Amino acid sequence: MKILIIGNGGREHAIAWKLSQNPKVEKIYAALGNAGISHLEKGECVNLKTVDEMLEFAVKNAIDLTIVGSEELLVEGIVDKFTEKNLKIFGPDKLAAQLEGSKVFSKNFMKKYGVRTAEYETFSESSAALEYLSHAEFPVVVKASGLAAGKGVIIAKNKEEAEKAVNEIMVEMKFESAGSEVVIEEFLVGYEASVLSFTDSETILTMISAKDHKKIGENETGLNTGGMGAICPNPYMTDTVEEEFRKNILEPTLKGIKAEKMDFAGIIFFGVMITKKGVYLLEYNMRLGDPETQAVLPLLESDLLDVIDSCLKRELNKIRLEWKNGFSCCVVASSGGYPEEYKKGYEINFDVKDGLVFMAGVIEKDGKFLTSGGRVLSTVGLGDTLEEARKNAYEILGNINFNGKYYRKDIGEI
Ligand code: AMP
Ligand code: GLY
């Protein structure tokens, strides 16, 4: 079986690593991939950038399954294009991808089907948004509706900050067309959890919950990043919280998917906030999380290809996921300066015999590994306790060095 994975982050390396454990998998191509994937025995990176190039490659090379890592191409409709050509692809079609691609669409979906979420209003004119702010209670959260690589969400403490956000998003068009509509919503206080799940549109099967660390600085300070680490399971996801999540978020979501006749095999990632008033859905992502995937997949005992296959056959109800006991901790090492300006091209020295390392911004040149991105790689430690998992992740990271290496020392401190 030949698989094509689209993406080049640590998430895609983790997916490739997990899939490569299935003996039926003979080859894993990645577009564009990274040095971690090309170093897998079955891995090979291919230079494909557009959907048309990927389609042509999949046909020519008789690819049996394509898996899309990140959201942009899903929203563009890559799944519809592959399906039209009878190519198997794991991910939401263009309609279902709107659950991530448009916050206006997803909030309206939540409201229509009774999924518990923060109170909100949507606006397509800046004047109406500004008028609303003149009598709103603060803080509020102002969100560009479209995809903005995680940067389009602004927590505004007061009216001035909220007006500034609306102006940046809707007038200055800082996030281009992603800002032609905004959502302004109630600010929630609590603990966040990432619940990744598989779906075939008939069943939603959750994975163990995770917790990511989004800020560059320790104690959740400084700028937002793509994610500096993650742990699994999320300690705040207790049985009671989980039960509430199922009743107020998962079940109404599934009802909505069926009622809207969304028909796809893919991932739903519920980004939730656990508050004193209950569990709220902040957002849907329609793909796996990065770095959550690097923490979750190493705990998954079940074969990933079998699960994906059952989604594609609309037989997910036959699957029971098996998990390892214990905890995992994923710590990201980034290039000094990230998420702002940083330098690339530094040699990475590995002294790792055992242990999981997932590469992201790493290329191989003349037999050397060089940094090529902001988030360079992540290490994953497993353990019977969270403490042990953390210790193992940091121990592996201690044996990897490159110029400007930066990492947070408090991943998994909760
Ligand atoms: P989103 O893309 O909607 O998940 O928002 C990105 C991040 O902004 C979330 O992971 C939260 O940290 C924060 N956030 C979003 N919505 C809210 C809210 N209503 N209250 C508090 N924080 C929020
Ligand atoms: N870690 C959050 C995300 O992948 O969007």
Side-chain angles (χ1 to χ4, degrees):
M1 177 161 198
K2 289 192 253 174
I3 297 177
L4 171 64
I5 297 179
I6 298 174
N8 59 0
R11 164 182 52 202
E12 287 76 18
H13 184 188
I15 297 170
W17 163 82
K18 181 71 184 161
L19 287 171
S20 71
Q21 293 165 17
N22 183 315
K24 280 187 286 193
V25 175
E26 31 174 317
K27 187 88 196 173
I28 301 176
Y29 295 100
L32 298 163
N34 58 40
I37 302 178
S38 60
H39 263 257
L40 291 170
E41 203 182 312
K42 302 172 183 178
E44 183 177 332
C45 294
V46 281
N47 187 18
L48 310 169
K49 294 199 179 91
T50 66
V51 172
D52 286 339
E53 284 169 358
M54 292 164 191
L55 262 179
E56 198 187 315
F57 180 87
V59 172
K60 228 184 196 162
N61 293 279
I63 296 296
D64 299 290
L65 168 66
T66 298
I67 300 172
V68 189
S70 71
E71 58 275 22
E72 300 82 6
L73 296 181
L74 293 169
V75 170
E76 206 180 302
I78 187 172
V79 169
D80 309 60
K81 288 193 177 162
F82 269 63
T83 311
E84 265 167 36
K85 293 257 188 300
N86 287 322
L87 291 165
K88 266 198 213 166
I89 182 162
F90 186 64
D93 61 6
K94 204 171 175 175
L95 171 67
Q98 286 299 300
L99 287 172
E100 173 165 5
S102 162
K103 289 192 190 291
V104 170
F105 179 93
S106 70
K107 291 292 288 194
N108 290 342
F109 175 95
M110 293 175 210
K111 190 176 191 174
K112 185 168 174 189
Y113 294 102
V115 177
R116 192 196 265 174
T117 189
E119 292 292 331
Y120 72 101
E121 297 285 338
T122 65
F123 302 94
S124 50
E125 298 290 340
S126 59
S127 54
L130 293 170
E131 204 283 316
Y132 170 81
L133 291 176
S134 68
H135 50 81
E137 271 182 47
F138 295 91
V140 294
V141 186
V142 182
K143 301 183 175 187
S145 179
L147 294 183
K151 299 192 183 86
V153 174
I154 294 134
I155 294 170
K157 290 194 280 300
N158 51 43
K159 192 164 132 210
E160 291 65 43
E161 286 183 11
E163 286 175 349
K164 183 165 171 260
V166 166
N167 279 320
E168 279 178 359
I169 297 173
M170 301 190 92
V171 181
E172 293 160 26
M173 301 299 278
K174 192 170 167 185
F175 307 108
E176 299 169 14
S177 62
S180 53
E181 292 179 294
V182 296
V183 172
I184 300 182
E185 72 179 32
E186 173 196 6
F187 173 72
L188 298 170
V189 180
Y191 297 104
E192 285 183 61
S194 303
V195 185
L196 279 46
S197 64
F198 296 99
T199 188
D200 62 359
S201 309
E202 290 291 328
T203 302
I204 297 178
L205 187 60
T206 55
M207 298 179 226
I208 304 186
S209 62
K211 181 177 191 321
D212 76 343
H213 294 264
K214 291 196 174 74
K215 302 281 187 190
I216 189 71
E218 278 147 25
N219 299 315
E220 300 306 323
T221 52
L223 295 173
N224 258 328
T225 70
M228 295 303 293
I231 56 166
C232 178
N234 185 318
Y236 297 104
M237 200 73 188
T238 60
D239 288 349
T240 326
V241 171
E242 166 123 18
E243 204 175 298
E244 217 196 291
F245 161 77
R246 286 186 182 280
K247 182 162 158 269
N248 295 329
I249 296 174
L250 189 149
E251 285 166 17
T253 297
L254 186 57
K255 200 172 92 198
I257 285 177
K258 289 180 185 169
E260 297 290 326
K261 301 200 170 14
M262 290 177 180
D263 180 19
F264 68 98
I267 297 291
I268 305 183
F269 160 170
F270 299 88
V272 303
M273 183 77 93
I274 303 162
T275 77
K276 285 194 182 129
K277 321 182 273 182
V279 192
Y280 287 72
L281 182 64
L282 293 178
E283 63 168 351
Y284 296 112
N285 293 314
M286 301 306 284
R287 35 85 195 168
L288 289 166
D290 189 334
E292 287 92 333
T293 305
Q294 294 91 303
V296 174
L297 289 186
L299 288 178
L300 180 65
E301 285 281 10
S302 307
D303 182 81
L304 180 59
L305 185 60
D306 287 347
V307 185
I308 292 177
D309 214 37
S310 68
C311 290
L312 290 161
K313 290 186 179 134
R314 307 295 190 265
E315 289 180 351
L316 187 59
N317 60 346
K318 294 191 181 155
I319 293 281
R320 235 189 120 255
L321 295 177
E322 303 290 337
W323 297 96
K324 288 189 174 64
N325 288 325
F327 291 79
S328 67
C329 175
C330 162
V331 182
V332 172
S334 61
S335 298
Y338 171 82
E340 296 182 291
E341 294 278 291
Y342 58 84
K343 293 206 176 105
K344 306 181 205 178
Y346 294 120
E347 186 175 352
I348 307 169
N349 298 302
F350 291 90
D351 188 14
V352 180
K353 285 168 202 72
D354 302 309
L356 282 171
V357 181
F358 293 124
M359 299 194 198
V362 182
I363 50 163
E364 194 179 0
K365 209 172 166 194
D366 306 327
K368 290 178 178 166
F369 289 110
L370 305 178
T371 65
S372 67
R375 288 188 299 165
V376 175
L377 50 81
S378 55
T379 60
V380 181
L382 303 180
D384 291 337
T385 60
L386 178 57
E387 224 10 79
E388 193 183 331
R390 294 188 64 216
K391 189 171 149 276
N392 289 335
Y394 281 108
E395 204 167 288
I396 307 166
L397 196 55
N399 292 323
I400 302 174
N401 288 301
F402 57 89
N403 216 329
K405 171 182 150 189
Y406 169 83
Y407 60 96
R408 278 179 55 172
K409 297 180 183 61
D410 66 342
I411 301 303
E413 264 177 28
I414 50 151

